[in-house]
Each structure stands twice: as C-alpha cells, then as structure tokens.
Amino acid sequence: MIRFSLVGALLGLGLLVLAGETKAQESVDGPQIVTVRMVDKSATEYAFEPADITVAPGTLVRFELTGSIPHNVEFKDVPPGTDLGDVRFGPFLLTKGQTYELMIDESFAMGTHEYVCTPHEMMGMKGTITVQNSDPEGRLERIR
Ligand SMILES: [Cu+2]
C-alpha cells in the first residue's frame, strides 16, 4: 500500500496542510484566479500546465491535480525580498480534482519565482510564476 504509507508519512511530517476541497468563489470583486493544472502526461511524464504564468499582485493561483499521482509545489529560485515561509514547500495533493491555492500577496516579490514538484523535478515537472505590477497606482498592492 504505497499510497497509504505516503499519506502516513506526510501526516507524520505535518505537511498535510491542504487548501483542498473548498473552491473559492469567483465574484466580480474577488481576486483574479489563474489555474495551473498538474498533469500526468504519461507514466513517466508529468507537467504543470501552463508552466509559465505572469500575474499581478492580488492574483489567486490555483493548482489543480488532474491525475492520480501526488504532486506538490516547491519554490526553488525566487527574487530577493521574497519571504514565502511555509509556502516555500507546499503540501502534496493526493486526490484527483484537489486544489492548492496561493494568494500572490506581498510575500512574493516582483519578478520570476521558479518552482518544481519535489519528487518529479528531475522529470522536468517545473514552472514559473512571474509577478508583475499591472497596476501602477498600487491599488492592488495591499490586497492579501
Ligand atoms: Cu509531481
């Protein structure tokens, strides 16, 4: 039971902080939502789709597991001034359809944030989130 023991291990490490189940409501005043799918392209090929996104501060990035292989989001190379805390190493999504949401707030400095799926980095499962201010007056700056 590989999957069972993986769950146990994750629980043991206290990493199962899943944003999961709840789907954020998209309203007129709500944040812009960008979805990145975690895709099993074959038994040995996994990918984030789209791999490279550009977002404004205040955007909600939603990772969605579309297959049956567990994936996560681990930030590797981030711009100076970024302070991700626990978000640096995200939880593993285990169930098809499960989501993990990241609010692009002030903990993400402007610039390109490179991330990988920890177990599948060597198989090319990586992506980037480029944070770019599309709002020169700074209205969105303080949205969390
Ligand atoms: Cu993966």
Side-chain angles (χ1 to χ4, degrees), residues 33-130:
I33 298 174
V34 175
T35 300
V36 176
R37 300 182 315 134
M38 296 153 140
V39 180
D40 302 346
K41 295 167 83 83
S42 75
T44 54
E45 264 185 300
Y46 312 112
F48 291 103
E49 289 184 355
D52 303 302
I53 60 173
T54 299
V55 302
T59 302
L60 188 71
V61 178
R62 174 185 290 155
F63 292 89
E64 180 179 358
L65 192 73
T66 66
S68 49
I69 304 288
H71 298 295
N72 76 332
V73 175
E74 179 187 357
F75 286 92
K76 287 288 196 171
D77 198 7
V78 297
T82 297
D83 181 17
L84 297 178
D86 290 346
V87 165
R88 180 171 282 275
F89 190 95
F92 280 86
L93 300 189
L94 305 173
T95 319
K96 186 174 181 169
Q98 198 171 12
T99 59
Y100 169 56
E101 295 178 342
L102 279 182
M103 175 53 77
I104 306 302
D105 58 19
E106 53 264 34
S107 61
F108 288 82
M110 296 290 165
T112 299
H113 302 252
E114 298 180 9
Y115 66 86
V116 303
C117 167
T118 310
H120 303 129
E121 178 182 6
M122 300 312 282
M123 297 160 93
M125 189 169 182
K126 48 189 154 185
T128 63
I129 298 174
T130 298

Coordinates of all heavy atoms in Angstrom, one line a residue, residues 33-130:
I33 N -8.4 34.7 -10.8 CA -7.9 33.4 -10.5 C -7.2 32.8 -11.7 O -7.8 32.9 -12.8 CB -9.0 32.5 -10.0 CG1 -9.7 33.0 -8.7 CG2 -8.6 31.0 -9.9 CD1 -10.9 32.3 -8.3
V34 N -6.0 32.3 -11.5 CA -5.3 31.6 -12.6 C -5.1 30.2 -12.2 O -4.6 29.9 -11.1 CB -3.9 32.3 -12.9 CG1 -3.2 31.5 -14.0 CG2 -4.1 33.8 -13.3
T35 N -5.6 29.3 -13.1 CA -5.4 27.8 -12.7 C -4.2 27.2 -13.5 O -4.0 27.4 -14.7 CB -6.7 27.1 -13.2 OG1 -7.8 27.7 -12.4 CG2 -6.6 25.6 -12.8
V36 N -3.5 26.5 -12.7 CA -2.3 25.7 -13.2 C -2.6 24.3 -13.0 O -2.8 23.9 -11.8 CB -1.0 26.1 -12.6 CG1 0.1 25.2 -13.1 CG2 -0.7 27.6 -12.9
R37 N -2.7 23.5 -14.0 CA -3.1 22.1 -13.8 C -1.8 21.2 -13.6 O -0.8 21.4 -14.3 CB -3.9 21.6 -15.0 CG -5.2 22.4 -15.1 CD -6.1 21.9 -16.3 NE -5.3 21.7 -17.5 CZ -5.4 20.6 -18.2 NH1 -6.3 19.6 -17.9 NH2 -4.6 20.5 -19.3
M38 N -1.9 20.2 -12.7 CA -0.8 19.3 -12.5 C -1.2 18.0 -13.3 O -2.2 17.3 -13.0 CB -0.7 18.9 -11.0 CG -0.3 20.2 -10.2 SD -0.8 20.0 -8.5 CE 0.6 20.6 -7.6
V39 N -0.5 17.8 -14.4 CA -0.9 16.8 -15.4 C 0.0 15.6 -15.4 O 1.2 15.8 -15.4 CB -1.0 17.5 -16.8 CG1 -1.4 16.5 -17.8 CG2 -1.9 18.7 -16.8
D40 N -0.6 14.4 -15.5 CA 0.2 13.2 -15.8 C 0.1 13.0 -17.3 O -0.9 12.5 -17.8 CB -0.4 12.0 -15.0 CG -0.5 12.2 -13.5 OD1 0.2 13.2 -13.0 OD2 -1.2 11.5 -12.8
K41 N 1.2 13.3 -18.0 CA 1.1 13.2 -19.4 C 1.3 11.7 -19.9 O 0.8 11.3 -20.9 CB 2.2 14.0 -20.1 CG 1.9 15.5 -19.9 CD 3.1 16.4 -20.2 CE 3.2 16.7 -21.7 NZ 2.4 17.8 -22.1
S42 N 2.1 11.0 -19.0 CA 2.3 9.5 -19.2 C 2.7 9.0 -17.9 O 2.8 9.7 -16.9 CB 3.3 9.2 -20.3 OG 4.6 9.5 -19.9
A43 N 3.1 7.7 -17.9 CA 3.5 7.1 -16.6 C 4.8 7.7 -16.1 O 5.2 7.6 -14.9 CB 3.7 5.6 -16.8
T44 N 5.6 8.3 -17.0 CA 6.9 8.9 -16.6 C 7.0 10.4 -16.9 O 8.1 10.9 -16.8 CB 8.0 8.2 -17.3 OG1 7.8 8.2 -18.7 CG2 8.1 6.7 -16.9
E45 N 5.9 11.0 -17.4 CA 6.0 12.4 -17.7 C 4.9 13.2 -17.0 O 3.7 12.9 -17.2 CB 5.7 12.5 -19.2 CG 6.9 12.6 -20.1 CD 6.5 12.8 -21.6 OE1 5.7 12.0 -22.1 OE2 6.8 13.9 -22.1
Y46 N 5.4 14.2 -16.2 CA 4.4 15.0 -15.5 C 4.7 16.5 -15.8 O 5.8 16.8 -16.1 CB 4.5 14.7 -14.0 CG 4.5 13.2 -13.7 CD1 5.6 12.6 -13.2 CD2 3.4 12.5 -13.9 CE1 5.6 11.2 -12.9 CE2 3.4 11.1 -13.7 CZ 4.5 10.5 -13.2 OH 4.5 9.2 -12.9
A47 N 3.7 17.3 -15.7 CA 3.9 18.7 -16.0 C 2.9 19.6 -15.3 O 1.8 19.2 -14.9 CB 3.7 18.9 -17.6
F48 N 3.3 20.9 -15.2 CA 2.4 22.0 -14.8 C 2.0 22.6 -16.1 O 2.8 22.9 -17.0 CB 3.2 23.0 -14.0 CG 3.6 22.5 -12.6 CD1 4.9 22.2 -12.4 CD2 2.7 22.4 -11.6 CE1 5.3 21.8 -11.1 CE2 3.1 22.0 -10.3 CZ 4.4 21.7 -10.1
E49 N 0.7 22.8 -16.2 CA 0.2 23.4 -17.5 C -0.8 24.5 -17.1 O -1.8 24.2 -16.4 CB -0.5 22.4 -18.3 CG 0.4 21.4 -19.0 CD -0.3 20.4 -19.9 OE1 -1.5 20.4 -20.0 OE2 0.4 19.6 -20.6
P50 N -0.6 25.8 -17.5 CA 0.6 26.2 -18.2 C 1.8 26.3 -17.3 O 1.6 26.6 -16.1 CB 0.2 27.6 -18.8 CG -0.8 28.1 -17.8 CD -1.5 26.9 -17.4
A51 N 3.0 26.0 -17.8 CA 4.2 26.0 -16.9 C 4.6 27.4 -16.5 O 5.1 27.6 -15.4 CB 5.3 25.3 -17.7
D52 N 4.4 28.4 -17.4 CA 4.9 29.7 -17.1 C 3.7 30.7 -17.1 O 3.0 30.8 -18.1 CB 5.9 30.1 -18.1 CG 7.1 29.2 -18.1 OD1 7.7 29.0 -17.1 OD2 7.4 28.6 -19.2
I53 N 3.5 31.3 -16.0 CA 2.4 32.3 -16.0 C 2.9 33.7 -15.5 O 3.9 33.7 -14.7 CB 1.2 31.9 -15.1 CG1 1.7 31.6 -13.6 CG2 0.6 30.6 -15.6 CD1 0.5 31.3 -12.6
T54 N 2.3 34.7 -15.9 CA 2.6 36.1 -15.4 C 1.3 36.6 -14.7 O 0.2 36.6 -15.3 CB 3.0 37.0 -16.6 OG1 4.2 36.4 -17.1 CG2 3.3 38.4 -16.1
V55 N 1.5 37.1 -13.5 CA 0.3 37.5 -12.7 C 0.6 38.8 -12.0 O 1.7 39.2 -11.8 CB -0.1 36.5 -11.7 CG1 -0.4 35.1 -12.3 CG2 0.9 36.3 -10.6
A56 N -0.5 39.6 -11.7 CA -0.4 40.8 -10.9 C -0.5 40.5 -9.5 O -1.1 39.4 -9.1 CB -1.4 41.8 -11.4
P57 N 0.0 41.3 -8.6 CA -0.2 41.1 -7.2 C -1.7 41.0 -6.9 O -2.5 41.8 -7.5 CB 0.4 42.3 -6.5 CG 1.4 42.8 -7.5 CD 0.9 42.5 -8.9
G58 N -2.1 40.2 -6.0 CA -3.5 40.1 -5.7 C -4.2 38.9 -6.4 O -5.4 38.7 -6.2
T59 N -3.4 38.3 -7.3 CA -4.0 37.2 -8.1 C -4.0 35.9 -7.2 O -3.0 35.7 -6.4 CB -3.2 36.9 -9.4 OG1 -3.2 38.1 -10.1 CG2 -3.7 35.8 -10.2
L60 N -5.0 35.1 -7.4 CA -5.0 33.8 -6.7 C -4.6 32.7 -7.7 O -5.2 32.6 -8.8 CB -6.4 33.5 -6.2 CG -6.6 32.2 -5.4 CD1 -6.0 32.5 -4.0 CD2 -8.1 31.9 -5.2
V61 N -3.5 32.0 -7.4 CA -3.1 30.9 -8.3 C -3.6 29.6 -7.7 O -3.3 29.3 -6.6 CB -1.5 30.9 -8.5 CG1 -1.1 29.8 -9.4 CG2 -1.1 32.3 -9.1
R62 N -4.3 28.9 -8.5 CA -4.9 27.7 -8.1 C -4.3 26.5 -8.8 O -4.4 26.4 -10.0 CB -6.4 27.7 -8.3 CG -7.1 26.4 -8.0 CD -8.6 26.4 -8.4 NE -9.3 27.3 -7.5 CZ -10.5 27.9 -7.9 NH1 -11.0 27.8 -9.1 NH2 -11.1 28.7 -7.0
F63 N -3.6 25.6 -8.1 CA -3.1 24.4 -8.7 C -4.1 23.3 -8.5 O -4.7 23.1 -7.4 CB -1.8 24.0 -7.9 CG -0.6 25.0 -8.2 CD1 -0.5 26.1 -7.3 CD2 0.2 24.8 -9.2 CE1 0.5 27.0 -7.6 CE2 1.3 25.7 -9.5 CZ 1.4 26.8 -8.6
E64 N -4.3 22.6 -9.6 CA -5.3 21.5 -9.6 C -4.7 20.2 -10.0 O -4.1 20.1 -11.1 CB -6.5 21.9 -10.5 CG -7.6 20.8 -10.5 CD -8.8 21.2 -11.4 OE1 -8.8 22.3 -12.0 OE2 -9.7 20.3 -11.5
L65 N -4.9 19.2 -9.2 CA -4.4 17.9 -9.5 C -5.4 17.2 -10.5 O -6.6 17.0 -10.2 CB -4.3 17.0 -8.3 CG -3.6 15.7 -8.4 CD1 -2.1 16.0 -8.5 CD2 -3.8 14.8 -7.2
T66 N -4.9 16.9 -11.7 CA -5.8 16.3 -12.7 C -5.6 14.8 -12.9 O -6.4 14.2 -13.6 CB -5.6 17.0 -14.1 OG1 -4.3 16.7 -14.6 CG2 -5.8 18.5 -14.0
G67 N -4.6 14.3 -12.3 CA -4.3 12.8 -12.4 C -4.4 12.1 -11.1 O -5.0 12.6 -10.1
S68 N -3.7 11.0 -11.0 CA -3.7 10.2 -9.8 C -2.4 10.1 -9.1 O -2.3 9.5 -8.0 CB -4.2 8.8 -10.1 OG -3.5 8.3 -11.2
I69 N -1.4 10.8 -9.6 CA -0.1 10.8 -9.0 C 0.0 12.1 -8.1 O -0.3 13.1 -8.5 CB 1.0 10.9 -10.1 CG1 0.9 9.7 -11.1 CG2 2.4 10.9 -9.4 CD1 1.3 8.4 -10.5
P70 N 0.5 11.9 -6.9 CA 0.6 13.1 -6.0 C 1.7 14.1 -6.5 O 2.8 13.6 -6.9 CB 1.1 12.5 -4.6 CG 0.7 11.0 -4.7 CD 0.8 10.6 -6.2
H71 N 1.3 15.3 -6.4 CA 2.3 16.4 -6.8 C 2.2 17.5 -5.8 O 1.3 17.6 -5.1 CB 1.9 16.9 -8.2 CG 2.0 15.9 -9.3 ND1 3.1 15.3 -9.7 CD2 1.0 15.5 -10.1 CE1 2.9 14.5 -10.7 NE2 1.6 14.6 -11.0
N72 N 3.3 18.3 -5.8 CA 3.3 19.5 -4.9 C 3.9 20.7 -5.6 O 4.3 20.6 -6.8 CB 4.0 19.2 -3.6 CG 5.5 19.2 -3.7 OD1 6.0 18.9 -4.8 ND2 6.2 19.5 -2.6
V73 N 4.1 21.8 -4.9 CA 4.7 23.0 -5.4 C 5.8 23.4 -4.4 O 5.5 23.7 -3.3 CB 3.7 24.1 -5.6 CG1 4.4 25.4 -6.0 CG2 2.6 23.7 -6.6
E74 N 7.1 23.3 -4.9 CA 8.2 23.7 -4.0 C 8.9 24.8 -4.7 O 9.4 24.6 -5.9 CB 9.1 22.5 -3.8 CG 10.3 23.0 -2.9 CD 11.4 21.9 -2.8 OE1 11.2 20.8 -3.3 OE2 12.4 22.2 -2.1
F75 N 9.0 26.0 -4.1 CA 9.7 27.1 -4.7 C 11.2 26.9 -4.6 O 11.7 26.5 -3.5 CB 9.3 28.4 -4.1 CG 7.9 28.8 -4.6 CD1 6.8 28.5 -3.9 CD2 7.8 29.5 -5.8 CE1 5.5 28.8 -4.4 CE2 6.5 29.8 -6.3 CZ 5.4 29.5 -5.6
K76 N 11.9 27.2 -5.6 CA 13.4 26.9 -5.7 C 14.2 28.2 -5.7 O 15.0 28.5 -4.9 CB 13.7 26.1 -6.9 CG 13.3 24.6 -6.8 CD 14.2 23.9 -5.7 CE 14.1 22.4 -5.9 NZ 15.1 21.7 -5.1
D77 N 13.9 29.0 -6.8 CA 14.7 30.2 -7.0 C 13.7 31.3 -7.1 O 12.8 31.4 -7.9 CB 15.5 30.1 -8.3 CG 16.6 31.1 -8.4 OD1 16.8 31.8 -7.4 OD2 17.2 31.2 -9.5
V78 N 13.8 32.3 -6.1 CA 12.8 33.3 -6.0 C 13.6 34.7 -5.9 O 14.7 34.7 -5.5 CB 11.9 33.2 -4.8 CG1 11.1 31.9 -4.9 CG2 12.7 33.2 -3.5
P79 N 12.9 35.8 -6.4 CA 13.5 37.1 -6.3 C 13.9 37.5 -4.9 O 13.2 37.1 -4.0 CB 12.5 38.0 -7.0 CG 11.5 37.1 -7.7 CD 11.5 35.8 -6.9
P80 N 14.9 38.4 -4.8 CA 15.3 38.9 -3.5 C 14.0 39.7 -2.9 O 13.3 40.3 -3.6 CB 16.4 39.9 -3.8 CG 16.8 39.6 -5.2 CD 15.8 38.9 -5.9
G81 N 13.9 39.5 -1.6 CA 12.8 40.2 -0.9 C 11.5 39.3 -0.8 O 10.6 39.7 -0.1
T82 N 11.6 38.1 -1.4 CA 10.5 37.2 -1.2 C 10.6 36.5 0.1 O 11.7 36.1 0.5 CB 10.6 36.1 -2.4 OG1 10.4 36.8 -3.6 CG2 9.5 35.1 -2.2
D83 N 9.5 36.3 0.8 CA 9.5 35.7 2.1 C 8.3 34.7 2.2 O 7.2 35.1 2.6 CB 9.4 36.7 3.2 CG 9.5 36.0 4.6 OD1 9.9 34.9 4.7 OD2 9.1 36.7 5.6
L84 N 8.5 33.5 1.7 CA 7.4 32.6 1.5 C 7.0 31.8 2.7 O 5.9 31.3 2.8 CB 7.6 31.6 0.3 CG 7.8 32.3 -1.0 CD1 8.1 31.3 -2.1 CD2 6.5 33.1 -1.4
G85 N 7.9 31.7 3.7 CA 7.5 30.9 4.9 C 7.2 29.4 4.5 O 7.8 28.8 3.7
D86 N 6.1 28.9 5.0 CA 5.7 27.6 4.8 C 5.3 27.3 3.4 O 5.3 26.1 2.9 CB 4.4 27.2 5.7 CG 4.8 27.1 7.2 OD1 6.0 27.1 7.4 OD2 3.9 27.2 8.0
V87 N 4.9 28.4 2.7 CA 4.5 28.2 1.3 C 5.7 27.8 0.4 O 5.5 27.2 -0.7 CB 3.9 29.6 0.8 CG1 3.8 29.6 -0.7 CG2 2.6 29.8 1.4
R88 N 6.9 27.9 0.9 CA 8.0 27.5 0.1 C 8.0 26.0 -0.3 O 8.3 25.6 -1.4 CB 9.4 27.8 0.8 CG 10.6 27.4 0.0 CD 11.9 27.9 0.7 NE 12.1 29.3 0.5 CZ 12.7 29.8 -0.6 NH1 13.2 29.0 -1.5 NH2 12.9 31.1 -0.7
F89 N 7.5 25.2 0.6 CA 7.4 23.8 0.4 C 5.9 23.5 0.6 O 5.4 23.3 1.7 CB 8.2 23.0 1.3 CG 8.4 21.6 1.0 CD1 9.4 21.1 0.2 CD2 7.4 20.7 1.4 CE1 9.5 19.7 -0.1 CE2 7.4 19.3 1.1 CZ 8.5 18.8 0.3
G90 N 5.2 23.4 -0.5 CA 3.7 23.2 -0.5 C 3.4 21.7 -0.2 O 4.2 20.8 -0.4
P91 N 2.1 21.5 0.3 CA 1.6 20.2 0.6 C 1.4 19.3 -0.7 O 1.2 19.9 -1.8 CB 0.3 20.4 1.2 CG -0.2 21.7 0.6 CD 1.1 22.5 0.4
F92 N 1.5 18.0 -0.5 CA 1.2 17.1 -1.7 C -0.3 17.0 -1.9 O -1.1 16.8 -0.9 CB 1.8 15.7 -1.4 CG 3.2 15.7 -1.7 CD1 4.2 16.0 -0.7 CD2 3.7 15.3 -3.0 CE1 5.5 16.0 -1.0 CE2 5.1 15.3 -3.2 CZ 6.0 15.7 -2.3
L93 N -0.7 17.2 -3.1 CA -2.1 16.9 -3.5 C -2.2 15.5 -3.8 O -1.4 14.9 -4.5 CB -2.5 17.8 -4.7 CG -2.5 19.3 -4.4 CD1 -3.1 20.0 -5.6 CD2 -3.1 19.7 -3.1
L94 N -3.2 14.8 -3.3 CA -3.3 13.3 -3.4 C -4.5 12.8 -4.2 O -4.4 11.7 -4.7 CB -3.4 12.7 -2.0 CG -2.2 13.1 -1.0 CD1 -2.5 12.6 0.4 CD2 -0.9 12.6 -1.5
T95 N -5.5 13.6 -4.2 CA -6.8 13.2 -4.9 C -7.1 14.0 -6.1 O -7.0 15.2 -6.1 CB -7.9 13.3 -3.9 OG1 -7.5 13.0 -2.6 CG2 -9.1 12.5 -4.3
K96 N -7.5 13.3 -7.1 CA -7.8 13.9 -8.4 C -8.9 15.0 -8.1 O -9.8 14.8 -7.4 CB -8.4 12.9 -9.4 CG -8.7 13.4 -10.7 CD -9.1 12.3 -11.7 CE -9.3 12.8 -13.1 NZ -9.5 11.7 -14.0
G97 N -8.6 16.2 -8.7 CA -9.5 17.3 -8.5 C -9.2 18.2 -7.3 O -9.8 19.3 -7.2
Q98 N -8.3 17.7 -6.5 CA -7.9 18.5 -5.3 C -7.2 19.8 -5.8 O -6.5 19.8 -6.8 CB -7.0 17.7 -4.4 CG -6.9 18.2 -3.0 CD -6.2 17.1 -2.1 OE1 -5.6 16.2 -2.6 NE2 -6.2 17.4 -0.9
T99 N -7.3 20.9 -5.0 CA -6.6 22.1 -5.4 C -5.8 22.7 -4.2 O -6.0 22.4 -3.1 CB -7.6 23.2 -5.8 OG1 -8.5 23.5 -4.7 CG2 -8.4 22.8 -7.0
Y100 N -4.8 23.5 -4.6 CA -4.0 24.2 -3.7 C -3.9 25.6 -4.2 O -3.5 25.8 -5.3 CB -2.6 23.5 -3.7 CG -1.5 24.2 -2.9 CD1 -1.7 24.6 -1.6 CD2 -0.3 24.6 -3.6 CE1 -0.7 25.3 -0.9 CE2 0.7 25.2 -2.9 CZ 0.5 25.6 -1.6 OH 1.5 26.3 -0.9
E101 N -4.3 26.5 -3.3 CA -4.3 27.9 -3.8 C -3.3 28.8 -3.1 O -3.0 28.7 -1.9 CB -5.7 28.4 -3.5 CG -6.8 27.7 -4.3 CD -8.2 28.2 -4.0 OE1 -8.4 28.8 -2.9 OE2 -9.1 27.9 -4.8
L102 N -2.7 29.6 -3.9 CA -1.7 30.5 -3.5 C -2.1 31.9 -3.8 O -2.3 32.3 -4.9 CB -0.4 30.3 -4.2 CG 0.6 29.2 -3.8 CD1 1.8 29.2 -4.7 CD2 0.9 29.3 -2.3
M103 N -2.3 32.8 -2.7 CA -2.5 34.2 -3.0 C -1.2 34.9 -3.2 O -0.3 34.8 -2.4 CB -3.3 34.8 -1.8 CG -3.5 36.3 -1.9 SD -4.3 36.8 -3.4 CE -6.0 36.3 -3.1
I104 N -1.1 35.6 -4.3 CA 0.1 36.3 -4.6 C 0.1 37.6 -3.9 O -0.4 38.6 -4.4 CB 0.3 36.5 -6.2 CG1 0.2 35.1 -6.9 CG2 1.6 37.1 -6.5 CD1 1.2 34.0 -6.4
D105 N 0.5 37.6 -2.7 CA 0.5 38.8 -1.9 C 1.9 39.4 -1.8 O 2.8 39.0 -2.5 CB -0.1 38.5 -0.5 CG 0.7 37.4 0.3 OD1 1.9 37.1 -0.1 OD2 0.1 36.8 1.2
E106 N 2.1 40.2 -0.8 CA 3.4 40.9 -0.7 C 4.6 40.0 -0.3 O 5.7 40.4 -0.4 CB 3.4 42.1 0.2 CG 2.8 41.8 1.6 CD 1.3 42.1 1.7 OE1 0.6 41.9 0.7 OE2 0.9 42.5 2.8
S107 N 4.3 38.7 0.1 CA 5.4 37.8 0.4 C 6.1 37.4 -0.9 O 7.2 36.9 -0.9 CB 4.9 36.6 1.2 OG 3.9 35.9 0.5
F108 N 5.4 37.6 -2.0 CA 6.0 37.3 -3.3 C 6.6 38.6 -3.9 O 5.8 39.5 -4.3 CB 5.0 36.8 -4.3 CG 4.5 35.4 -4.0 CD1 3.5 35.1 -3.1 CD2 5.1 34.3 -4.7 CE1 3.1 33.8 -2.8 CE2 4.7 33.0 -4.5 CZ 3.7 32.8 -3.5
A109 N 7.9 38.8 -4.0 CA 8.5 40.0 -4.5 C 8.2 40.0 -6.1 O 7.9 38.9 -6.6 CB 10.0 40.0 -4.3
M110 N 8.3 41.1 -6.7 CA 8.2 41.2 -8.1 C 9.3 40.4 -8.8 O 10.4 40.3 -8.2 CB 8.3 42.7 -8.6 CG 7.2 43.6 -8.0 SD 5.6 43.2 -8.8 CE 4.5 44.1 -7.7
G111 N 9.0 39.8 -9.9 CA 10.0 39.0 -10.6 C 9.5 37.6 -10.8 O 8.4 37.3 -10.6
T112 N 10.5 36.8 -11.2 CA 10.1 35.4 -11.6 C 10.5 34.4 -10.5 O 11.6 34.3 -10.0 CB 10.9 35.0 -12.9 OG1 10.4 35.9 -13.9 CG2 10.5 33.6 -13.3
H113 N 9.5 33.7 -10.0 CA 9.6 32.7 -9.0 C 9.6 31.3 -9.7 O 8.6 30.9 -10.3 CB 8.4 32.8 -8.0 CG 8.3 34.1 -7.4 ND1 8.6 34.3 -6.1 CD2 7.9 35.3 -7.9 CE1 8.4 35.6 -5.8 NE2 8.0 36.2 -6.9
E114 N 10.7 30.6 -9.5 CA 10.8 29.2 -10.1 C 10.4 28.2 -9.1 O 10.8 28.2 -7.9 CB 12.2 29.0 -10.6 CG 12.7 30.0 -11.6 CD 14.1 29.7 -12.1 OE1 14.7 28.7 -11.8 OE2 14.6 30.6 -12.9
Y115 N 9.5 27.3 -9.5 CA 9.1 26.2 -8.6 C 9.2 24.8 -9.3 O 9.3 24.8 -10.6 CB 7.7 26.5 -8.1 CG 6.6 26.4 -9.2 CD1 6.0 25.2 -9.5 CD2 6.2 27.6 -9.8 CE1 5.0 25.2 -10.5 CE2 5.2 27.5 -10.8 CZ 4.6 26.3 -11.1 OH 3.6 26.3 -12.1
V116 N 9.1 23.8 -8.5 CA 9.1 22.4 -9.1 C 8.1 21.6 -8.3 O 7.6 22.0 -7.3 CB 10.5 21.8 -8.9 CG1 11.6 22.6 -9.6 CG2 10.9 21.6 -7.4
C117 N 7.9 20.4 -8.8 CA 7.2 19.4 -8.0 C 8.4 18.6 -7.4 O 9.2 18.1 -8.2 CB 6.3 18.5 -8.9 SG 5.8 17.0 -8.0
T118 N 8.5 18.5 -6.1 CA 9.6 17.9 -5.4 C 10.1 16.6 -6.0 O 11.2 16.4 -6.4 CB 9.4 17.9 -3.9 OG1 9.0 19.1 -3.4 CG2 10.7 17.5 -3.2
P119 N 9.1 15.6 -6.0 CA 9.6 14.2 -6.5 C 9.8 14.2 -8.0 O 10.5 13.2 -8.5 CB 8.5 13.3 -6.0 CG 7.3 14.2 -5.9 CD 7.8 15.5 -5.5
H120 N 9.3 15.1 -8.8 CA 9.3 15.0 -10.2 C 10.2 16.1 -10.9 O 10.1 16.3 -12.1 CB 7.9 15.0 -10.8 CG 7.1 13.8 -10.2 ND1 5.8 14.0 -9.7 CD2 7.4 12.5 -10.1 CE1 5.4 12.9 -9.3 NE2 6.3 11.9 -9.5
E121 N 10.9 16.8 -10.1 CA 11.8 17.8 -10.6 C 12.7 17.3 -11.7 O 12.9 17.9 -12.8 CB 12.6 18.5 -9.5 CG 13.6 19.5 -10.0 CD 14.4 20.1 -8.9 OE1 14.4 19.6 -7.8 OE2 15.2 21.1 -9.2
M122 N 13.3 16.1 -11.4 CA 14.2 15.5 -12.4 C 13.5 15.1 -13.7 O 14.2 14.8 -14.7 CB 15.0 14.3 -11.7 CG 15.8 14.7 -10.5 SD 16.8 16.1 -10.7 CE 18.2 15.4 -11.7
M123 N 12.2 15.0 -13.6 CA 11.5 14.5 -14.8 C 10.9 15.8 -15.5 O 10.1 15.7 -16.4 CB 10.3 13.6 -14.4 CG 10.9 12.3 -13.8 SD 9.6 11.5 -12.8 CE 9.0 10.4 -14.0
G124 N 11.4 16.9 -15.1 CA 11.0 18.1 -15.8 C 9.8 18.8 -15.3 O 9.3 19.7 -16.0
M125 N 9.2 18.4 -14.2 CA 8.0 19.0 -13.7 C 8.3 20.3 -13.0 O 8.6 20.3 -11.8 CB 7.2 18.0 -12.8 CG 5.8 18.6 -12.5 SD 4.8 17.3 -11.7 CE 3.3 18.3 -11.6
K126 N 8.3 21.4 -13.7 CA 8.6 22.7 -13.1 C 7.9 23.8 -13.8 O 7.4 23.6 -14.9 CB 10.1 22.9 -13.1 CG 10.8 22.7 -14.4 CD 12.3 22.8 -14.1 CE 13.1 22.0 -15.1 NZ 14.6 22.0 -14.9
G127 N 7.9 24.9 -13.1 CA 7.2 26.1 -13.7 C 7.7 27.4 -13.1 O 8.5 27.4 -12.3
T128 N 7.1 28.5 -13.6 CA 7.4 29.8 -13.1 C 6.2 30.6 -12.9 O 5.2 30.5 -13.6 CB 8.4 30.6 -14.0 OG1 7.7 30.8 -15.3 CG2 9.7 29.8 -14.2
I129 N 6.2 31.4 -11.9 CA 5.2 32.5 -11.7 C 5.9 33.8 -11.7 O 6.8 34.1 -10.8 CB 4.5 32.3 -10.3 CG1 3.8 31.0 -10.2 CG2 3.5 33.5 -10.1 CD1 3.2 30.7 -8.8
T130 N 5.6 34.6 -12.7 CA 6.3 35.9 -12.8 C 5.3 36.9 -12.2 O 4.1 37.0 -12.7 CB 6.7 36.3 -14.2 OG1 7.7 35.3 -14.6 CG2 7.3 37.7 -14.3

